[in-house]
Amino acid sequence: MARGDSNSMNAHPTPELGQAGCKLVGQSVPRTEDLALLTGTARFIDDVRLPGMLYAKILRSTSAHARIRVNVSKVAGMPGVHGVMTGPDLVGKVKPWGDLMQDLLVGDHFPFAIDKVTFEGQEVAAVVADTKYQALDALEAIVVEYDELPVLVDPEAAIAPGAPLIQEGINYEFGEGNIFDRYRVRIGDIAAAEASADLVVRQRFSSNRQAGAALDPHGCVASYDSFSGMLTVYSSTQSIFMVRDCIADALQLPRNRVRVVAPAVGAGFGSKVQMFAHEVIASIFSMRLGRPVHLVLGRAEIFKCGTARNGQIRHAELFLKKDGRIIGYRDYVIQNSGASSYWGNQVVHIGTNVGLLPYPIPNLHIDGDIVHTNTAPGGALRGFGIPQIIWAKEQLIDMAANALGLDPLQVRHVNTIKRHECPVRTPIGQVVDSTSIDECLQRAADAIGWADKRAHRIPYEGVGLAISMKYTSCRHPSFDTDLSAVRLRLETDGTVTIFSSDVPHGQGHATFLAQIVSDVLGVGFEKITLAPADTANSPFGLGTYASRAAAVLGTACRTAAERLREKIVAIAAHVLEADPRDLETGSDRVYVRGLSDSGLYLENLAGFSAYRTHQLPEGFEPTLEAVATYDTPTEREGPDGSGNFSVTYAGAAHAAHVRVDPTTGRVTILDYVMAHDTGVVINPLIVEGQHQGGFLMGIGMAMGEEYVYDAQGRMLNASFAEYQAPSAADLPELTKLYEIPAPSQTIPGGQKGAGESGTGPVPAVLGNAIADATGVRFTQLPMTADRILIALREKERSKLKVFRYPDDMPDYTGPRDHTAWPKPTGGEGNLFV
Amino acid sequence: MTPFTYQRPAELAEAVRLLAAGAATTKLLAGGQSLLLALKERTLRPTCVLSLASLGELTGLRTAADGCLDIGATTTYAALTRSTFSGWHAEIAAVAGNLADRSVRSLATIGGGVCQADPRFDMPTLLTAAGARMRLVSASGERSLAAEEFFDPNGGTRMMASEILTRIWIAAIPALDGLAFEKFRFRAFEAAVVSVACALKLGSDGRIASARIVVGAVAKAPLKAVATAATLVGLRPADLRVEEVGARVAAEVAPLRAGQTLRQCYQSELAICLTARALARAAAQARKH
């Protein structure tokens, strides 16, 4: 779907739906979700209204690290108040939960702080009242005494000897103190690689904490029915079964008495892929009062507690031969995961492993310390660790190319996996079934005018490249599964309902799943509906994250549709007295091949199998439902960090042409190219939307967003007014998006994930382009206009030809070269104690 | 929610009387683009909110007989953008149309912005350079203040709690020969990191007779680069070396100092290029006369 012009409608012709022989998979079918979204009729969590509903609000810590005492005595008589709760009330009544690391529960999560807070924004108390304003008034009557403890904002300070302990009383399997997990990769022989390398490039890179910034806030409505003993929780979440099972476990309820329903969910990006305290708090209030309780978070709360991308410090080294071949990579990662464990550590494990692609590096020596600080918890976020390592690795590539006098395009080309080499197992163990990444690289370079721009330099203009690959779903690190499931039901009037528990939140499930079902069953597209995700009737599945929907859910859906088709054809064969092998489906009918104007309407066939079961063949099971699952054939991480975590890998090659204004530091993106391998694309319109969204998140990470904390761990920019997420008006128009498919050889339909591919390369592309334009090499994110301008001024004063920001600033206090780098805390001993 | 009384008097005299009665805990409501946010966030808890919406004396945009522009305090930025101005008065409409975002501009008023006096706002900088005057009315009578006296160097304004800003007066066209405003912000729609406004008046010999260069957002109130502006007197607009002037303006009002934050260093740098741009435009306008 190359686009040479900016008119997107011309590039996505609307197919004629329902025509026999017209396959919908591969077509840009307009999304069925959009009408409700554009007319404001979609119901999000804040729109949920139940009879008798009350409103709860949470009081959150204003200190980042303190012992606390909470006095709620003034709340009871206040207008409209029905209840108040604090941590000590729940000790022994609610089971702690938390990250599962290698099957062991960390258990550092509880609905409230009990006697100590570990981050600003941690839950301290909650009130439920008739209206949310009465609840807010009651919060103001709660008195919290804070005995301040020393605050750790910086992860390096948190692992220094003598640093105060943040999470007390928890024994970690692989860590101690404020290090709650360690990571280690040992592949090949790094010492030999270092000895035989012609060039080693080394640089410390740091990356920023970034918010999910889903416009739909985190929140829930919990409704306990005391007559049936059923707790129903409506939640803005990405995974209904995870929430159900965690709430049931925390509250010690049977899982068949807990129901979780997803309303329309307005994005998550990974920030809604865990259970949160507010879901437990609302549930407890509802169970006490027997009334529905609405608890939706405000934006400042979400910034402070809603999980964000983990910032990392990487001490990265690339070992190369003089022809540009990479022979080794060494790295020491310190990740700032915030105050508690929420997928923080897996970002290092999975992100580092997959972020090494597309280079099959033979010798690897990587250590990671995954650290708690008194800041907002870090979790899953679009890219899941890949953008952070690509930021380092793809800039090292350019630095190496410059040092060797080679073209950075050539260095990437020499190292990347080629299409004809696939399937290939890399030294760290990834099995890449197919890829077009090298062709994507060439296309991106051509489309940006790489050779020409480098040959005819214009002051303060530059070009940059970066490539990355992204896993399409992943073996769940805490369990041992990567499961999605679909149930299809042919209703008695020939319409079809799709049931799935993978919550759609922008990926267009209702559209692309219907495309698959329509093609397989021959049912008209408009006759197919996706039911809302609801644990009461959806089959068990893991949720929507990790770019898994099209490949994993899509495969489950296709299989279910094929099973249903078999049943339909068997009935039709009986009714039409034909051989099933002579039958086709299409245009809402089953008909004998060659006689497309005859046959049996699915509407009649469905009625037959419901109301005339006595006329069905002997032994035929009437129900026109089919369930199918798909669980990807992947591996878990080995002790040496090796493994193939994903069934297939998408590819992304980006190129940027930028101009830097030397009077203001402002960067203008003059041109931007994205060439992707998304395998077989089910719906090009949806995939393009995902790439655009991935790019936007990458731009925010690269050019503006970060969590700004003061020395006391208070966030200074916890609002959209201050937090520098780009708006539509700030972004370049994307006119050069290309798909170069290398269909997956493992996913039956050939599709690969798209949700996160667009984010990985962006910060590195822009870092490389800005370095090319100005000679300033950023080693820190974000690259804001003020930093760029100050770096330019300092570069002029210092007369350095290549100036690193912030490393070469006179007031920089960090290590300026690798001789001053810290050592990993884990040593070489056995990680498993 | 802290309960408050909401009042919407129909006459200025009544508004003034109500304000006098409860000035300490009364907040005036114009467009509400600052006040309503503060009420929602509970950072302000007035006992009385006094709406100016029905006061005809605060509305309207007129040109007086002597050519002065007489702007009602509750004139929205959107209304200013839609109005036709001649000469350097047009810069007021240009600035009004390029701040915040469209929905804010439809409700926010020039008087409200000026009374809020957030140093990042555009109008305080522009009106100080233009030499605007603010008309204030209270139970004890009325007075007017020049913009540079109106803004308190320690932040906020020198209005008494019992005063209402009713009109903003801009001098007639002949008073100046050029007025230009420039700013820098990181993202569309947000507040300025630095703003600069330059005003030039030429003598009959075509040389600069007086100049005002005002820099906003580097201090708690707009700062006038008095010394640098004085050095422009006697020069011809075409002979101005605008970058060099910019460097001197920055050194005068936002000098680089040890121990400054990155943001302060950046503001100092921005003051240079924004002054250069504003001065170049003001000079170009002046040369056309």
Side-chain angles (χ1 to χ4, degrees):
Chain A
M1 317 154 292
R3 298 171 68 207
D5 57 40
S6 57
N7 185 338
S8 64
M9 289 312 291
N10 287 343
H12 298 295
T14 309
E16 293 203 42
L17 306 181
Q19 294 266 63
C22 168
K23 289 297 175 191
L24 291 181
V25 169
Q27 309 265 10
S28 288
V29 176
R31 297 193 336 165
T32 49
E33 292 87 341
D34 289 349
L35 183 63
L37 293 173
L38 294 171
T39 55
T41 51
R43 282 207 186 75
F44 298 94
I45 190 61
D46 198 49
D47 299 320
V48 174
R49 299 273 179 276
L50 296 176
M53 192 169 81
L54 300 171
Y55 292 82
K57 286 290 176 191
I58 294 174
L59 183 69
R60 295 184 180 274
S61 168
T62 53
S63 165
H65 201 198
R67 308 241 176 250
I68 59 165
R69 253 185 319 274
V70 184
N71 182 341
V72 299
S73 55
K74 295 209 187 74
V75 171
M78 290 185 69
V81 171
H82 292 267
V84 61
M85 223 192 299
T86 63
D89 301 338
L90 301 180
V91 172
K93 300 187 177 115
V94 173
K95 185 174 159 192
W97 70 94
D99 194 2
L100 275 176
M101 286 164 26
Q102 309 288 38
D103 302 324
L104 295 171
L105 178 68
V106 171
D108 59 346
H109 295 189
F110 201 67
F112 300 97
I114 297 169
D115 56 3
K116 175 174 142 155
V117 292
T118 55
F119 64 99
E120 184 204 25
Q122 185 172 10
E123 298 81 8
V124 155
V127 170
V128 61
D130 287 330
T131 71
K132 55 180 134 165
Y133 302 105
Q134 288 170 324
L136 288 172
D137 290 346
L139 291 188
E140 291 178 357
I142 298 176
V143 180
V144 184
E145 285 169 46
Y146 294 98
D147 275 327
E148 302 284 345
L149 296 166
V151 171
L152 295 164
V153 175
D154 179 343
E156 290 180 289
I159 58 177
L165 188 60
I166 296 173
Q167 291 287 351
E168 294 169 332
I170 302 206
N171 289 318
Y172 297 115
E173 188 72 3
F174 307 110
E176 71 281 327
N178 293 320
I179 299 168
F180 76 95
D181 188 24
R182 288 198 174 88
Y183 177 60
R184 178 182 292 162
V185 177
R186 299 284 185 267
I187 303 286
D189 182 347
I190 199 71
E194 185 166 11
S196 70
D198 295 325
L199 174 73
V200 183
V201 276
R202 301 182 165 99
Q203 179 56 50
R204 176 189 188 278
F205 290 93
S206 68
S207 63
N208 44 348
R209 174 165 292 165
Q210 181 181 23
L215 288 185
D216 174 35
H218 290 57
C220 64
V221 175
S223 181
Y224 181 71
D225 178 345
S226 33
F227 295 104
S228 62
M230 192 82 192
L231 171 67
T232 301
V233 181
Y234 298 84
S235 185
S236 189
T237 183
Q238 294 173 233
S239 174
I240 51 175
F241 276 101
M242 183 206 44
V243 172
R244 184 200 72 168
D245 289 3
C246 289
I247 285 186
D249 200 44
L251 298 179
Q252 295 288 281
L253 296 171
R255 291 176 188 186
N256 64 355
R257 296 298 182 87
V258 179
R259 175 182 171 209
V260 176
V261 183
V265 177
F269 308 118
S271 71
K272 293 175 179 173
V273 86
Q274 41 268 313
M275 184 178 78
F276 288 93
H278 61 263
E279 289 161 317
V280 180
I281 293 168
S283 297
I284 298 173
F285 272 140
S286 185
M287 290 172 76
R288 283 188 184 173
L289 298 167
R291 293 173 68 170
V293 174
H294 169 292
L295 209 189
V296 175
L297 304 193
R299 184 56 53 184
E301 293 182 91
I302 295 168
F303 273 112
K304 291 174 185 171
C305 78
T307 78
R309 187 186 302 284
N310 296 273
Q312 294 181 351
I313 299 167
R314 301 193 84 107
H315 306 85
E317 303 170 83
L318 203 59
F319 303 87
L320 304 101
K321 291 301 222 185
K322 59 173 181 286
D323 62 357
R325 257 181 311 126
I326 300 166
I327 58 173
Y329 178 78
R330 183 162 55 202
D331 197 352
Y332 169 39
V333 189
I334 300 174
Q335 176 167 284
N336 181 355
S337 291
S340 53
S341 62
Y342 274 108
W343 304 128
N345 61 327
Q346 292 306 330
V347 166
V348 173
H349 292 250
I350 298 173
T352 301
N353 175 303
V354 180
L356 291 168
L357 289 170
Y359 309 129
I361 304 174
N363 301 293
L364 298 165
H365 182 110
I366 307 174
D367 289 285
D369 284 331
I370 299 155
V371 179
H372 280 319
T373 60
N374 296 116
T375 59
L381 206 76
R382 198 167 198 165
F384 206 77
I386 290 173
Q388 292 97 312
I389 183 176
I390 297 291
W391 165 244
K393 177 161 61 78
E394 285 293 293
Q395 288 203 87
L396 286 175
I397 295 280
D398 268 32
M399 291 160 65
N402 294 339
L404 291 169
L406 297 172
D407 185 340
L409 168 63
Q410 180 61 13
V411 173
R412 290 180 171 88
H413 168 67
V414 153
N415 284 291
T416 187
I417 297 169
K418 311 294 186 294
R419 190 195 281 254
H420 62 84
E421 292 166 347
C422 293
V424 64
R425 187 170 194 115
T426 63
I428 196 175
Q430 300 128 352
V431 175
V432 179
D433 60 335
S434 70
T435 186
S436 65
I437 189 70
D438 190 45
E439 297 149 68
C440 292
L441 170 65
Q442 298 301 330
R443 174 74 63 89
D446 290 342
I448 204 75
W450 178 258
D452 179 69
K453 301 266 182 327
R454 286 165 52 88
H456 304 107
R457 294 208 156 273
I458 296 173
Y460 296 107
E461 286 190 18
V463 283
L465 289 170
I467 56 178
S468 72
M469 290 176 77
K470 176 69 179 64
Y471 55 86
T472 297
S473 199
C474 214
R475 182 131 306 267
H476 196 290
S478 299
F479 311 116
D480 194 10
T481 178
D482 184 17
L483 176 75
S484 278
V486 164
R487 182 159 59 90
L488 290 181
R489 187 165 70 205
L490 180 67
E491 307 293 354
T492 49
D493 65 350
T495 57
V496 178
T497 308
I498 306 173
F499 298 91
S500 150
S501 57
D502 290 353
V503 180
H505 52 279
Q507 297 84 356
H509 292 191
T511 307
F512 82 77
L513 293 177
Q515 288 173 254
I516 293 172
V517 172
S518 177
D519 281 1
V520 173
L521 291 184
V523 177
F525 178 80
E526 70 293 341
K527 288 193 160 64
I528 306 166
T529 300
L530 174 66
D534 182 339
T535 59
N537 57 34
S538 307
F540 179 86
L542 293 178
T544 301
Y545 53 86
S547 306
R548 66 200 301 271
V552 184
L553 183 66
T555 301
C557 186
R558 177 176 289 278
T559 309
E562 284 161 0
R563 287 182 187 166
L564 189 55
R565 185 180 186 280
E566 270 179 48
K567 291 189 161 185
I568 287 168
V569 166
I571 295 173
H574 175 73
V575 171
L576 296 174
E577 295 174 354
D579 187 322
R581 289 164 300 179
D582 293 334
L583 294 177
E584 290 279 7
T585 52
S587 306
D588 298 310
R589 276 180 288 118
V590 187
Y591 55 91
V592 174
R593 192 173 296 113
L595 300 174
S596 59
D597 289 332
S598 68
L600 183 62
Y601 273 100
L602 285 175
E603 186 181 330
N604 297 335
L605 184 150
F608 214 90
S609 73
Y611 299 114
R612 297 181 193 205
T613 57
H614 289 262
Q615 297 174 30
L616 289 175
E618 189 76 30
F620 185 86
E621 181 76 49
T623 49
L624 284 178
E625 284 200 17
V627 177
T629 62
Y630 183 62
D631 188 356
T632 62
T634 47
E635 299 162 12
R636 299 186 85 179
E637 186 187 61
D640 57 358
S642 67
N644 181 43
F645 305 156
S646 184
V647 58
T648 190
Y649 297 88
H654 292 192
H657 174 209
V658 305
R659 180 191 304 132
V660 179
D661 181 336
T663 62
T664 62
R666 193 191 293 288
V667 175
T668 304
I669 297 175
L670 299 171
D671 201 8
Y672 198 92
V673 180
M674 298 162 70
H676 285 129
D677 166 22
T678 314
V680 171
V681 170
I682 297 171
N683 186 322
L685 199 57
I686 291 178
V687 163
E688 184 186 318
Q690 290 298 311
H691 290 329
Q692 295 226 10
F695 165 75
L696 306 193
M697 186 151 271
I699 282 271
M701 179 180 170
M703 307 305 292
E705 296 181 47
E706 68 175 336
Y707 279 47
V708 179
Y709 286 100
D710 67 12
Q712 298 312 307
R714 290 193 196 95
M715 190 177 174
L716 300 175
N717 61 341
S719 84
F720 279 139
E722 308 295 334
Y723 180 80
Q724 295 283 303
S727 72
D730 300 305
L731 295 159
E733 185 165 3
L734 294 171
T735 59
K736 294 181 179 172
L737 290 90
Y738 306 105
E739 285 287 335
I740 304 180
S744 172
Q745 303 301 304
T746 38
I747 295 288
Q751 61 266 35
K752 297 179 175 177
E756 297 167 271
S757 322
T759 305
V762 181
V765 164
L766 293 170
N768 285 335
I770 289 169
D772 191 52
T774 62
V776 174
R777 170 73 57 191
F778 266 77
T779 66
Q780 174 191 74
L781 286 170
M783 298 178 284
T784 52
D786 51 353
R787 290 175 178 172
I788 291 171
L789 187 66
I790 298 304
L792 281 174
R793 293 286 175 266
E794 194 53 45
K795 176 174 183 288
E796 279 161 49
R797 269 190 281 274
S798 70
K799 311 263 189 288
L800 285 169
K801 228 177 137 253
V802 173
F803 185 90
R804 299 170 306 161
Y805 184 88
D807 312 62
D808 291 327
M809 293 294 290
D811 57 357
Y812 180 66
T813 53
R816 284 207 163 96
D817 66 56
H818 73 282
T819 59
W821 284 358
K823 295 265 172 291
T825 62
E828 284 302 317
N830 198 342
L831 263 190
F832 290 77
V833 288
Chain B
M1 180 178 66
T2 315
F4 59 86
T5 319
Y6 174 76
Q7 287 167 311
R8 187 166 157 166
E11 302 281 339
L12 179 59
E14 193 196 341
V16 153
R17 188 186 54 75
L18 287 167
L19 187 57
T25 57
T26 298
K27 278 292 177 187
L28 300 176
L29 176 64
Q33 298 302 287
S34 298
L35 179 64
L36 294 179
L37 286 178
L39 291 181
K40 182 177 159 199
E41 297 293 315
R42 302 178 173 217
T43 51
L44 283 176
R45 293 173 200 252
T47 57
C48 176
V49 171
L50 189 57
S51 169
L52 305 173
S54 298
L55 301 182
E57 296 96 325
L58 273 61
T59 60
L61 190 59
R62 332 180 238 286
T63 312
D66 60 359
C68 270
L69 200 50
D70 178 358
I71 306 175
T74 58
T75 306
T76 63
Y77 293 119
L80 286 171
T81 315
R82 285 193 297 267
S83 306
T84 323
F85 296 102
S86 46
W88 57 267
H89 286 170
E91 192 71 348
I92 296 167
V95 170
N98 193 34
L99 54 83
D101 60 59
R102 192 180 293 268
S103 52
V104 169
R105 293 196 296 267
S106 302
L107 291 170
T109 63
I110 186 170
V114 145
C115 292
Q116 184 71 14
D118 186 318
R120 300 173 304 170
F121 284 179
D122 295 356
M123 283 300 175
T125 305
L126 179 70
L127 295 177
T128 302
R133 296 195 69 83
M134 281 48 167
R135 177 173 176 255
L136 306 169
V137 173
S138 71
S140 7
E142 65 172 84
R143 62 178 181 140
S144 73
L145 284 177
E148 61 191 49
E149 296 161 344
F150 178 80
F151 297 109
D152 185 337
N154 295 318
T157 71
R158 290 203 174 101
M159 286 175 70
M160 311 292 252
S162 55
E163 285 180 310
I164 299 176
L165 172 69
T166 58
R167 317 292 306 177
I168 297 174
W169 292 320
I170 313 287
I173 299 282
L176 292 176
D177 292 299
L179 177 70
F181 173 91
E182 294 285 334
K183 65 180 173 182
F184 179 89
R185 46 191 176 173
F186 289 115
R187 296 181 296 172
F189 315 134
E190 71 181 2
V193 179
V194 176
S195 59
V196 175
C198 291
L200 297 176
K201 172 87 189 110
L202 303 184
S204 50
D205 58 355
R207 292 171 183 268
I208 294 170
S210 68
R212 267 196 292 265
I213 304 175
V214 180
V215 181
V218 298
K220 294 191 174 137
L223 290 184
K224 285 168 56 181
V226 173
T228 310
T231 67
L232 303 188
V233 172
L235 297 179
R236 266 191 270 266
D239 296 337
L240 287 170
R241 286 172 23 240
V242 294
E243 258 88 29
E244 193 267 317
V245 175
R248 285 190 285 125
V249 165
E252 184 181 345
V253 301
L256 285 171
R257 269 192 279 262
Q260 272 181 324
T261 63
L262 180 82
R263 178 57 53 89
Q264 287 166 323
C265 294
Y266 187 55
Q267 286 180 309
S268 189
E269 297 283 343
L270 286 177
I272 302 172
C273 67
L274 293 175
T275 301
R277 288 184 203 168
L279 194 54
R281 270 206 302 125
Q285 286 173 36
R287 289 210 303 279
K288 287 206 191 92
H289 293 169

